[in-house]
Amino acid sequence: MVAVTDQSTHPQPLADRSPAELDTFLAEQRSAYEALAARGLTLDLTRGKPATEQLDLADRLLQLPGRATDSSGADTRNYGGLHGGADLRAIFGELLGVPTNQIVAQGNSSLMMMREVLSYLWLKGGVTSERPWAAEERVTFICPVPGYDRHFTLTDWFGIEMVTVPMHADGPDADAIAELVATDASIKGMWLVPTYANPTGSVTSTEVARKLASMPTAAPDFTIMWDNAYAWHHLTATETPSADIIGLCAEAGNPHRAVVFASTSKITYAGAGVGFLAGSSETVDWYVDHLGQGAIGPDKVNHLRHAEFFGSAQGVRDHMARHREVLAPKFAAVQEVLTGRLGGLGVAEWSEPAGGYFVNLDVLDGTASRVVQLAKEAGIALTPAGSSFPHRDDPRDRNIRLAPSFPVLDEVTEAMEAVATCVLLAAAEKLHG
Ligand SMILES: Cc1ncc(COP(=O)(O)O)c(C=O)c1O
């Protein structure tokens, strides 16, 4: 867990209370919950979507681009240019620390690009594969948990087995991963959200990234799916840089190990942004070669529109500072309610992320499903318990992902007050027995 907060603002942890005190506490929580349910709220803390106010920040895009040709003279309206618009690739290449020939810009979804990469690996094999993955007896992926639910459903869809490792504040447990991959050739890859991870907020340190880049692997084509969806999504003035996984892999003599993904989904428009893939130049050639079997060229007008909108890498950073102004108060509200209502009671731990879109809440073991059910019955939608684990199986039934970006600030506070009431009732029921 990351930056866990559990400050002592309450006098006595629940576990230390006498049966009579617990009776009283349970009765209090029941009546608080009844009052909550009677309000007939309809609130949603499920998916990490940008708020309307954030989308509005990019509305100048609706007037762009002001011309059809990009700076290389290419007519963006026509077919071709499979790698994507050069101007935008230069901007995001700078942000990701790669030259333009090591980055591709495509459609609005980086998740779809992840699916494409897995599909190509499955059907054809990668730059360092001996055969297509489909020809392997078994394919296994390492999944740091808690993690991004859609990574896990996608992996499962391929029939890829999943083995979990813990996610820590400085990234996944690299020693556990190194031990697994050293001897098991069926382990072909791993997922990682390196910066402000979904949902823990963890930031993978350069030291952990170096271990992942350099560890010996039984599979020659072990692939790190480095999903940097939140690379520039800082919630504080500190702009923590991501580890340079492509450089670290090259340095370690495994230049093709990492495939990097990013997108503007939570920078401009989630439904009309641009997805990126970066890696060694061989990886990019491999990707574009397979892509070209079914595509003639991406939406380069949208690429030019984005390049004009940002102007430069600094333009992206400046734009993200405006997002921060919208998001930081909502994340602060989450912390305030959690600390004020749950602090010191010993019934929950939570992350205090410095970026990204989520707060990771761990409640008493065995109560997460109950909390989500109570919340639902009171009109507050929470992500289903267990969602951040493969097959939705949280072995301790304690993890809840909170996504405060979309509701307006007052609703975030109201929803969090409700969540706290549900956490307390579920804990009281559990401890009361
Ligand atoms: C870690 C992570 N990766 C990828 C995505 C989706 O990215 P895109 O919109 O570019 O497909 C999300 C969206 O929530 C995410 O949290």
Side-chain angles (χ1 to χ4, degrees), residues 9-20:
T9 51
H10 290 262
Q12 205 183 7
L14 282 199
D16 298 347
R17 297 194 189 186
S18 68

Side-chain angles (χ1 to χ4, degrees), residues 143-166:
C143 301
V145 289
Y148 178 35
D149 52 347
R150 290 182 190 274
H151 285 164
F152 304 151
T153 45
L154 176 58
T155 314
D156 191 39
W157 183 69
F158 273 92
I160 295 174
E161 290 175 34
M162 292 176 268
V163 50
T164 61
V165 296

Side-chain angles (χ1 to χ4, degrees), residues 47-49 107-114 147-151 192-199 227-230 261-266 269-271 273-276 357-358 401:
R47 294 233 75 92
K49 291 200 296 191
N108 76 310
S109 169
S110 61
L111 185 61
M112 229 158 93
M113 297 171 86
M114 295 174 218
Y148 178 35
D149 52 347
R150 290 182 190 274
H151 285 164
L192 185 55
V193 183
T195 299
Y196 309 136
N198 174 353
D227 176 4
N228 217 345
Y230 301 103
F261 302 90
S263 79
T264 70
S265 287
K266 292 171 189 88
Y269 294 155
V274 181
F276 300 95
Y357 264 55
F358 303 99
R401 183 183 83 171

Side-chain angles (χ1 to χ4, degrees), residues 47-309:
R47 294 233 75 92
K49 291 200 296 191
T52 309
E53 201 183 347
Q54 291 174 267
L55 300 172
D56 290 347
L57 294 172
D59 274 351
R60 203 162 51 82
L61 280 174
L62 299 174
Q63 268 73 53
L64 297 171
R67 60 190 202 281
T69 43
D70 67 15
S71 64
S72 72
D75 187 339
T76 59
R77 300 167 302 176
N78 219 328
Y79 275 136
L82 258 183
H83 289 79
D87 296 339
L88 190 64
R89 284 162 59 216
I91 292 174
F92 277 82
E94 183 180 331
L95 289 166
L96 290 172
V98 292
T100 310
N101 71 326
Q102 285 181 238
I103 180 168
V104 176
Q106 293 292 309
N108 76 310
S109 169
S110 61
L111 185 61
M112 229 158 93
M113 297 171 86
M114 295 174 218
R115 191 183 65 181
E116 278 169 357
V117 165
L118 286 179
S119 303
Y120 303 160
L121 286 163
W122 198 259
L123 293 170
K124 302 290 178 183
V127 175
T128 50
S129 296
E130 288 161 340
R131 61 190 82 87
W133 288 9
E136 303 285 352
E137 215 167 278
R138 229 174 88 210
V139 177
T140 309
F141 248 58
I142 290 177
C143 301
V145 289
Y148 178 35
D149 52 347
R150 290 182 190 274
H151 285 164
F152 304 151
T153 45
L154 176 58
T155 314
D156 191 39
W157 183 69
F158 273 92
I160 295 174
E161 290 175 34
M162 292 176 268
V163 50
T164 61
V165 296
M167 189 72 163
H168 301 304
D170 63 347
D173 187 331
D175 292 333
I177 296 171
E179 202 178 319
L180 285 165
V181 299
T183 50
D184 185 346
S186 85
I187 303 182
K188 290 289 196 179
M190 65 176 285
W191 290 107
L192 185 55
V193 183
T195 299
Y196 309 136
N198 174 353
T200 60
S202 312
V203 178
T204 297
S205 67
T206 294
E207 196 191 336
V208 168
R210 184 174 282 116
K211 278 190 193 165
L212 300 176
S214 59
M215 65 193 176
T217 60
D221 50 354
F222 180 83
T223 302
I224 302 174
M225 299 284 278
W226 184 270
D227 176 4
N228 217 345
Y230 301 103
W232 309 287
H233 303 58
H234 315 287
L235 285 167
T236 75
T238 308
E239 298 191 354
T240 307
S242 300
D244 171 20
I245 191 66
I246 296 173
L248 290 167
C249 285
E251 225 175 87
N254 300 309
H256 317 305
R257 182 172 286 185
V259 187
V260 171
F261 302 90
S263 79
T264 70
S265 287
K266 292 171 189 88
I267 299 177
T268 57
Y269 294 155
V274 181
F276 300 95
L277 174 148
S280 67
S281 47
E282 290 87 341
T283 299
V284 165
D285 290 349
W286 167 86
Y287 177 76
V288 171
D289 185 35
H290 291 302
L291 180 70
Q293 306 310 312
I296 308 173
D299 181 350
K300 297 174 301 299
V301 175
N302 199 31
H303 297 172
L304 182 57
R305 176 183 293 133
H306 276 76
E308 285 185 359
F309 177 72

